[in-house]
Amino acid sequence: MSEPILLVEYSRVRANTQAMVERLDCEDMVIQTMPDVSPTKWHLAHTSWFWETFLLLEELEGYREYSCEYNYLFNSYYDAIGERHPRNQRGFLSRPGLADVLGYRRHVDEAMTRLLSTLEGEPLERLEPLLRLGLAHEEQHQELILTDIKHVLSHNPFAPQAFPETGRGAGSDEAGASWIGFDGGLFAFGVEGLPFQFDNEGPRHEALLTPFALADRPVTNGEYAAFINDGGYRTPSLWLSDGWARVNAEGWQAPLYWHERDGAWRQFTLHGEAAPQPDAPVAHLSFYEAAAYAEWAGARLPSEREWELAAQRGAGPDGRFATPGWSAHPDVCEPGSGLRQMFGGVWEWTRSDYAPYPRYRPAAGAVGEYNGKFMSGQYVLRGGSCATSQGHIRPTYRNFFPPQARWQFSGLRLAKDI
């Protein structure tokens, strides 16, 4: 008798998380280098806490909670669940140790296997949306494990290699980006009715766009280096006021992980230190840096609906995505026609505030805090990066971060009015 499909999916996702961290040392997994970064050990525990809190305690008869302390230590931001350990102090938690956290994962996996092996009929139909949210949640934390451990290891003076390089495109000497035009009109956006979607991807609605054009590929390292060399970080007229304040307060001179050595740029990657490939997408930019570059280039950032409309018109998943090989670095953009590398490579900043779509309502209960409570003071990114699970890639997927965030694989694609 074959295993239930959700148990197969659960086992696959959990195994991928474990495979991701196998090359890390215990000491790698306990460090927190800034408030936005969580230790790998915390991610391993939190993703287990999610399954325990939202499913096992409620749905599996006779389930034994692993530790009453874990609800406080590994709750991320769910106020309805109760008090929690401060986010900026997760790196202070020497206890529980990694061995205890891995024991917690095994405890939860055994219980989830029992639950998913017997779930059928009405209970399965009722719980499937929550189960699929849990799978997507863990895959999002896989992405965070990669981006967070990159920040951690970047503080080591010897640029350690976290993962082996699995091969990259050879690159090309192509000229500047081409422009792809789109007519204006009334178009439908968002999605409803998928087997799984995040609540912030809907409801489906219509919005009016004026004619616009998008660059056929993301901005590259070589193009961004030209911005730096032209004094981009020394020219206040290019920057939003808050962005210029950040440049001066934090001493920004280049994308995160770039540094100059012997007159040439070098960058830290999860595969060790390397020279930035000129025709690979530039990554680790804040919204402020993306907007300043667009101003310097005589263009602008797209709105999220412009980006989505373009992606709906035939852009395929041609970038690099997170895989069990864990190669996490943007590939060069392969030559071709039409829109390229809309998915994978880098998240692309848009000029759109992260806000609810018309008629949006968060889900009832604590799980409703997943997305809706963050719809203030952040900007939307689209497309997914080299650290994103390929199963999340679709035109309607909305990521969001505050404008100063740089530690994600975030870049940009130019837009203009026509």
Side-chain angles (χ1 to χ4, degrees):
M1 183 176 180
S2 61
E3 289 185 326
I5 185 63
L6 284 172
L7 176 56
V8 172
E9 283 296 293
Y10 174 87
S11 300
R12 177 188 63 81
V13 170
R14 297 284 279 183
N16 280 350
T17 304
Q18 289 300 126
M20 176 183 292
V21 304
E22 282 180 356
R23 292 183 56 86
L24 302 179
D25 291 332
C26 175
E27 291 80 4
D28 295 330
M29 293 193 263
V30 299
I31 296 175
Q32 182 175 24
T33 45
M34 68 168 179
D36 285 336
V37 162
S38 294
T40 305
K41 182 180 73 172
W42 186 91
H43 287 296
L44 294 175
H46 168 72
T47 48
S48 299
W49 171 89
F50 187 96
W51 295 112
E52 181 177 65
T53 301
F54 289 105
L55 276 157
L56 294 174
L57 288 171
E58 295 291 330
E59 302 295 338
L60 184 60
E61 185 177 354
Y63 176 74
R64 176 180 58 82
E65 185 179 24
Y66 190 81
S67 170
C68 61
E69 297 174 349
Y70 284 15
N71 189 55
Y72 176 82
L73 294 176
F74 301 122
N75 180 359
S76 53
Y77 50 70
Y78 295 91
D79 292 312
I81 300 298
E83 295 184 9
R84 59 195 183 275
H85 187 74
R87 177 177 181 176
N88 63 354
Q89 296 178 21
R90 291 171 183 170
F92 297 174
L93 297 173
S94 61
R95 305 289 180 87
L98 179 61
D100 289 327
V101 167
L102 295 178
Y104 182 33
R105 286 184 68 85
R106 290 191 295 270
H107 176 84
V108 167
D109 286 345
E110 187 276 332
M112 284 296 297
T113 298
R114 284 192 283 129
L115 176 65
L116 294 174
S117 295
T118 59
L119 207 56
E120 58 185 2
E122 186 279 329
L124 174 60
E125 183 177 345
R126 174 174 57 85
L127 292 177
E128 184 170 358
L130 182 56
L131 287 161
R132 294 200 176 279
L133 176 63
L135 295 171
H137 169 261
E138 181 135 350
E139 288 177 325
Q140 287 184 320
H141 277 271
Q142 291 170 358
E143 181 169 357
L144 287 170
I145 286 172
L146 289 173
T147 54
D148 288 0
I149 199 64
K150 182 172 185 177
H151 195 272
V152 167
L153 295 177
S154 73
H155 284 69
N156 187 302
F158 297 103
Q161 183 186 56
F163 304 104
E165 179 57 82
T166 58
R168 297 165 60 189
S172 64
D173 296 323
E174 67 177 33
S178 300
W179 292 98
I180 310 294
F182 296 88
D183 294 333
L186 187 66
F187 303 100
F189 300 96
V191 67
E192 294 175 352
L194 293 180
F196 172 78
Q197 66 204 49
F198 289 105
D199 63 349
N200 66 0
E201 295 181 71
R204 186 85 166 157
H205 63 283
E206 291 185 332
L208 182 66
L209 298 183
T210 56
F212 68 96
L214 284 190
D216 67 333
R217 57 164 174 78
V219 171
T220 65
N221 288 319
E223 290 167 335
Y224 199 84
F227 164 74
I228 298 172
N229 294 336
D230 196 43
Y233 283 87
R234 302 189 302 274
T235 307
S237 59
L238 299 175
W239 295 80
L240 296 168
S241 177
D242 287 346
W244 184 244
R246 286 272 176 179
V247 167
N248 289 280
E250 300 186 14
W252 292 355
Q253 299 179 5
L256 184 63
Y257 304 128
W258 284 35
H259 62 276
E260 202 167 10
R261 180 185 298 167
D262 299 328
W265 288 112
R266 304 285 291 175
Q267 66 177 160
F268 175 76
T269 80
L270 282 169
H271 313 294
E273 189 179 276
Q277 280 189 284
D279 49 358
V282 63
H284 299 293
L285 300 180
S286 67
F287 170 83
Y288 296 132
E289 289 164 295
Y293 178 91
E295 182 69 19
W296 174 81
R300 61 175 174 83
L301 298 179
S303 72
E304 67 166 317
R305 290 182 177 86
E306 288 174 335
W307 194 101
E308 183 176 321
L309 177 67
Q312 290 173 346
R313 297 291 177 87
D318 56 351
R320 168 180 284 183
F321 304 92
T323 66
W326 308 124
S327 182
H329 195 73
D331 254 342
V332 299
C333 194
E334 295 297 330
S337 59
L339 293 170
R340 292 175 288 154
Q341 215 171 47
M342 290 285 280
F343 302 102
V346 292
W347 286 104
E348 298 181 7
W349 285 105
T350 75
R351 194 60 178 84
S352 296
D353 297 321
Y354 179 52
Y357 287 157
R359 305 184 309 281
Y360 169 83
R361 295 294 300 170
V367 75
E369 298 183 58
Y370 197 96
N371 280 314
K373 67 188 286 182
F374 299 109
M375 292 177 172
S376 173
Q378 310 205 61
Y379 286 91
V380 174
L381 302 95
R382 294 296 191 108
S385 80
C386 56
T388 305
S389 170
Q390 189 166 357
H392 292 206
I393 299 302
R394 51 188 173 269
T396 57
Y397 190 47
R398 305 171 80 199
N399 203 353
F400 54 93
F401 283 105
Q404 71 274 11
R406 310 173 85 203
W407 94 110
Q408 289 295 313
F409 289 92
S410 47
L412 76 150
R413 182 184 303 263
L414 295 176
K416 65 180 181 180
D417 299 312
I418 58 174

